Every structure is written in structure tokens, then in C-alpha cells.
Amino acid sequence: MKKVILIADDSPSIRKFAAFSLSTKGYDIISVSDGMEALEKLPTEKINLVITDLNMPNVDGFELIKAIRNNEELKEIPIIILSSMAGTEDIERGMMCGANSYLIKPFDPKRILYEVSKYIN
């Protein structure tokens, strides 16, 4: 059974590039443009991993991570932050919210594949 990755990012080009990079390795991808859409998809799909931006409209990445970690049925899903917010405070805050990894944009496809493979295979 294919592993499903949810990508939440308000940039269509980032979603497309990340989805392409991951789909070439056989992952199924669900792309959404913000945290609100992610929260709507998570209970209805079998998601194996979430990749999220932090700076998004409606529900930002920090709130998305907290919502996942506070949901008994979703809290074990690995979360990778993929953000251009590269400050130490942002990274620490993201990890304190419950993210498993933090990648900074622009990203190397090999790096994102490596991070994903640490959590699902």
C-alpha cells in the first residue's frame, strides 16, 4: 500500500515541486493551500506524514501542528516543517509545537526525500 503525504503550503510552485519530488519515489500526495484545508483532509484520509509551511493564511503551520498533536487519532503522524522562516526562534517554536524535522526553503529534493524516509518507507 502506498504511503500518503499531505503537503500544506500556500505556494502552488512549492506544492508542485515537493509533490513531484516525492511522487517520483512512489508516494501518493495530497496538496492543500493552508492549515484549514489540511485539518479538513486529515480525518478523512489515511495520512502517513505531513509536510507544512509555517506562514499560511487561515490556519498557520504552528496552529496546524498543535491541532495534530492535540488530536488523539492524529498525534502520531510525523510532521516536517518546510519553511523560509529560518530564524532560530522560528525553528525552536516549530519544534516545540511538535514537529519532527525542520527544513528551510529553498529545499534540495534529496534532502526532503531523506527526511521523509526517516519517518516512513
Side-chain angles (χ1 to χ4, degrees):
M1 187 168 183
K2 281 189 167 187
K3 301 291 185 175
V4 180
I5 298 173
L6 178 97
I7 300 172
D9 196 305
D10 58 333
S11 166
S13 59
I14 293 290
R15 285 196 315 269
K16 189 174 184 177
F17 184 52
F20 175 77
S21 301
L22 294 162
S23 63
T24 61
K25 294 298 181 188
Y27 297 111
D28 280 343
I29 307 300
I30 297 173
S31 293
V32 297
S33 61
D34 63 38
M36 177 104 46
E37 284 183 59
L39 290 171
E40 291 168 2
K41 289 277 185 202
L42 279 158
T44 65
E45 305 282 341
K46 175 65 177 126
I47 306 295
N48 300 102
L49 183 135
V50 172
I51 296 174
T52 185
D53 187 13
L54 293 177
N55 190 13
M56 298 181 291
N58 301 318
V59 173
D60 69 19
F62 296 114
E63 293 303 316
L64 172 60
I65 295 166
K66 287 183 209 170
I68 292 169
R69 292 298 178 240
N70 290 326
N71 182 309
E72 205 53 43
E73 294 173 17
L74 305 175
K75 69 181 184 181
E76 299 301 321
I77 297 173
I79 301 170
I80 298 172
I81 293 171
L82 179 60
S83 178
S84 56
M85 296 171 67
T88 304
E89 304 85 24
D90 299 316
I91 295 169
E92 287 176 359
R93 182 176 171 208
M95 299 307 282
M96 287 180 67
C97 287
N100 297 87
S101 293
Y102 198 111
L103 297 176
I104 297 168
K105 295 176 189 171
F107 67 94
D108 176 352
K110 290 179 183 149
R111 177 73 180 165
I112 201 167
L113 288 166
Y114 171 75
E115 287 299 318
V116 166
S117 72
K118 288 173 23 180
Y119 306 105
I120 60 174
N121 48 27

